[in-house]
Amino acid sequence: MDKIISENGDTAAEGSICGYDSLHQLLSANLKPELYQEVNRLLLGRNCGRSLEQIVLPESAISLSSKHDFDLQAVSFSADKEQMRNPRVVRVGLIQNSIALPTTAPFSDQTRGIFDKLKPMIDAAGVAGVNILCLQEAWTMPFAFCTRERRWCEFAEPVDGESTKFLQELAKKYNMVIVSPILERDIDHGEVLWNTAVIIGNNGNIIGKHRKNHIPRVGDFNESTYYMEGDTGHPVFETVFGKIAVNICYGRHHPLNWLAFGLNGAEIVFNPSATVGGLSEPMWPIEARNAAIANSYFVGSINRVGTEVFPNPFTSGDGKPQHNDFGHFYGSSHFSAPDASCTPSLSRYKDGLLISDMDLNLCRQYKDKWGFRMTARYEVYADLLAKYIKPDFKPQVVSDPLLHKNSS
């Protein structure tokens, strides 16, 4: 499908349609070109009435991708030209990756291995001119929260810990804002743990943090063994490149969570995740794209890659036999836009860097076009929610009187 074009005209690895690699291959191989283009229009949408344009990347970024064997894709979202505002184009990147060493390796070696793996990917983003870069959920460690074993807590670190210091140097070097989701240890409050995204400014400073709002208790995702719901609300971080927010993983299943970031003025919302094919893959291409449409902002969806095998088998109270892994983390990171267009996704199996130029003027243009904010009935929703959270809440259900008559 869409290929990355380097400055000398070479092409890099192919992408997939929102994670559906096999679907893309099937369609492209069996449909006539004109029919395939129509199907592609429905799957990926149209940005300002046309397909997304490819970005020409510097040879240094292409070379890093080839040398270190990671997927590299780059496309551009545009907006209509305005008379009163100049374009507000920002270059944004997403990184997905597998762990570097087996989960049985010493913990410090595992973390260092991930640092070493990500360094050339961040370098590629830097030389490609990325302004804002987001990493995957709990990127410094294996996603061990299925095991319920306490020893994995050793990966936790303070907001200004080792991973932040590692990224601060790179943020400053490349004039790049970096969103770093980590397992946080709150030293000042009893050393409790949080699932936290640290926002590192383009000058290497810490802008702030956001803690995961919604904690899953489904299947193997026993995360409340380690941390509970966050206490930071729905902050939007104003950076030199735009207003960004972070809806961590399971929060993407909650429409009001997406809404709250939009009400606070987000222009780009990142969704760093760790999710597996057997649980959520059919939902993956839908939820973020719907959030981008409904809230008139861009969404960057990131998911880790690979199967992480743990030394001790575990169960999850669902009747399934004990096992040693979550399942396959299916990658498929992608961007979605307010106009319902979305990028092809990164690989389902391979580390990758996805880059997108996006004109943030598109956010206001689609607020004006659809009028979702103007036509919303927030006072009605607020009244219902205020009633719902009270113990004496009664649903507003109007029953057919004949139902009761027939039952008697």
Side-chain angles (χ1 to χ4, degrees):
M1 195 185 155
D2 294 323
K3 294 183 174 69
I4 290 305
I5 303 176
S6 66
E7 290 173 335
N8 67 6
D10 293 335
T11 58
E14 292 188 354
S16 60
I17 299 175
C18 293
Y20 291 137
D21 297 273
S22 58
L23 175 60
H24 157 61
Q25 293 167 3
L26 179 65
L27 293 175
S28 61
N30 292 280
L31 295 181
K32 294 180 179 179
E34 60 273 17
L35 182 55
Y36 172 71
Q37 288 302 318
E38 179 64 9
V39 172
N40 193 41
R41 179 185 71 83
L42 296 174
L43 289 174
L44 293 181
R46 285 289 183 266
N47 173 235
C48 296
R50 55 186 180 273
S51 298
L52 296 178
E53 297 180 358
Q54 302 165 18
I55 297 173
V56 177
L57 294 178
E59 289 298 330
S60 52
I62 298 292
S63 177
L64 284 165
S65 170
S66 299
K67 180 178 179 181
H68 297 279
D69 192 30
F70 59 85
D71 192 11
L72 179 61
Q73 300 290 328
V75 292
S76 177
F77 294 100
S78 60
D80 291 334
K81 185 176 181 181
E82 300 185 16
Q83 296 186 42
M84 303 294 287
R85 292 194 303 172
N86 292 324
R88 298 178 58 224
V89 179
V90 59
R91 181 163 289 189
V92 185
L94 312 175
I95 287 179
Q96 65 177 41
N97 61 277
S98 58
I99 56 177
L101 295 174
T103 60
T104 52
F107 288 176
S108 59
D109 292 350
Q110 290 189 52
T111 297
R112 178 48 56 186
I114 295 173
F115 285 11
D116 292 343
K117 171 180 273 204
L118 259 64
K119 175 64 164 55
M121 300 174 73
I122 298 172
D123 286 337
V127 298
V130 167
N131 304 126
I132 307 172
L133 179 68
C134 187
L135 309 183
Q136 67 196 23
E137 183 183 19
W139 70 272
T140 64
M141 60 179 291
F143 207 74
F145 309 121
C146 53
T147 68
R148 301 191 296 278
E149 296 174 352
R150 297 297 182 178
R151 62 197 183 107
W152 305 104
C153 296
E154 291 188 47
F155 281 100
E157 58 181 313
V159 165
D160 59 353
E162 180 184 13
S163 66
T164 298
K165 290 180 171 60
F166 167 71
L167 294 175
Q168 283 177 305
E169 293 299 319
L170 294 167
K172 190 173 182 179
K173 176 180 180 180
Y174 292 116
N175 190 37
M176 181 164 58
V177 173
I178 301 179
V179 180
S180 174
I182 63 169
L183 182 62
E184 177 199 355
R185 186 178 294 280
D186 187 350
I187 301 299
D188 293 333
H189 296 88
E191 301 195 16
V192 298
L193 304 185
W194 303 92
N195 187 317
T196 300
V198 182
I199 315 302
I200 302 170
N202 59 305
N203 293 306
N205 56 309
I206 297 175
I207 296 176
K209 67 185 177 188
H210 173 57
R211 291 167 172 165
K212 186 173 181 175
N213 278 329
H214 299 278
I215 308 302
R217 298 162 179 86
V218 55
D220 288 334
F221 288 82
N222 300 298
E223 297 175 41
S224 57
T225 303
Y226 298 87
Y227 44 78
M228 299 300 287
E229 285 74 14
D231 59 356
T232 53
H234 297 84
V236 169
F237 302 94
E238 186 172 14
T239 76
V240 67
F241 303 115
K243 295 179 180 179
I244 66 174
V246 192
N247 183 4
I248 303 174
C249 197
Y250 191 70
R252 72 181 177 278
H253 305 309
H254 294 268
L256 291 180
N257 206 42
W258 291 108
L259 171 66
F261 292 117
L263 294 179
N264 280 330
E267 297 169 310
I268 307 169
V269 179
F270 295 101
N271 178 225
S273 300
T275 185
V276 294
L279 181 67
S280 66
E281 197 163 11
M283 304 156 73
W284 182 250
I286 300 169
E287 290 173 307
R289 193 175 184 184
N290 183 67
I293 296 166
N295 296 288
S296 302
Y297 52 49
F298 290 92
V299 174
S301 304
I302 315 100
N303 186 28
R304 66 173 56 206
V305 181
T307 301
E308 300 172 1
V309 180
F310 296 94
N312 299 318
F314 52 87
T315 61
S316 296
D318 53 8
K320 295 180 180 179
Q322 63 180 6
H323 44 286
N324 292 75
D325 65 84
F326 255 124
H328 179 69
F329 294 104
Y330 53 82
S332 306
S333 303
H334 62 280
F335 286 107
S336 306
D339 63 358
S341 62
C342 64
T343 67
S345 70
L346 290 176
S347 170
R348 194 174 184 276
Y349 303 99
K350 191 175 182 180
D351 295 350
L353 167 64
L354 178 61
I355 296 172
S356 176
D357 285 350
M358 48 187 68
D359 187 341
L360 299 182
N361 282 352
L362 191 67
C363 299
R364 182 192 290 180
Q365 289 175 10
Y366 268 77
K367 288 177 182 176
D368 291 347
K369 178 174 182 175
W370 284 101
F372 291 149
R373 288 285 180 265
M374 178 179 66
T375 57
R377 299 294 304 279
Y378 297 118
E379 71 285 357
V380 177
Y381 313 148
D383 180 64
L384 174 61
L385 289 171
K387 294 175 181 177
Y388 180 76
I389 62 175
K390 295 180 180 179
D392 59 351
F393 171 74
K394 300 295 182 183
Q396 184 182 2
V397 178
V398 180
S399 298
D400 182 346
L402 293 181
L403 291 174
H404 302 288
K405 181 177 181 180
N406 291 338
S407 64
S408 61

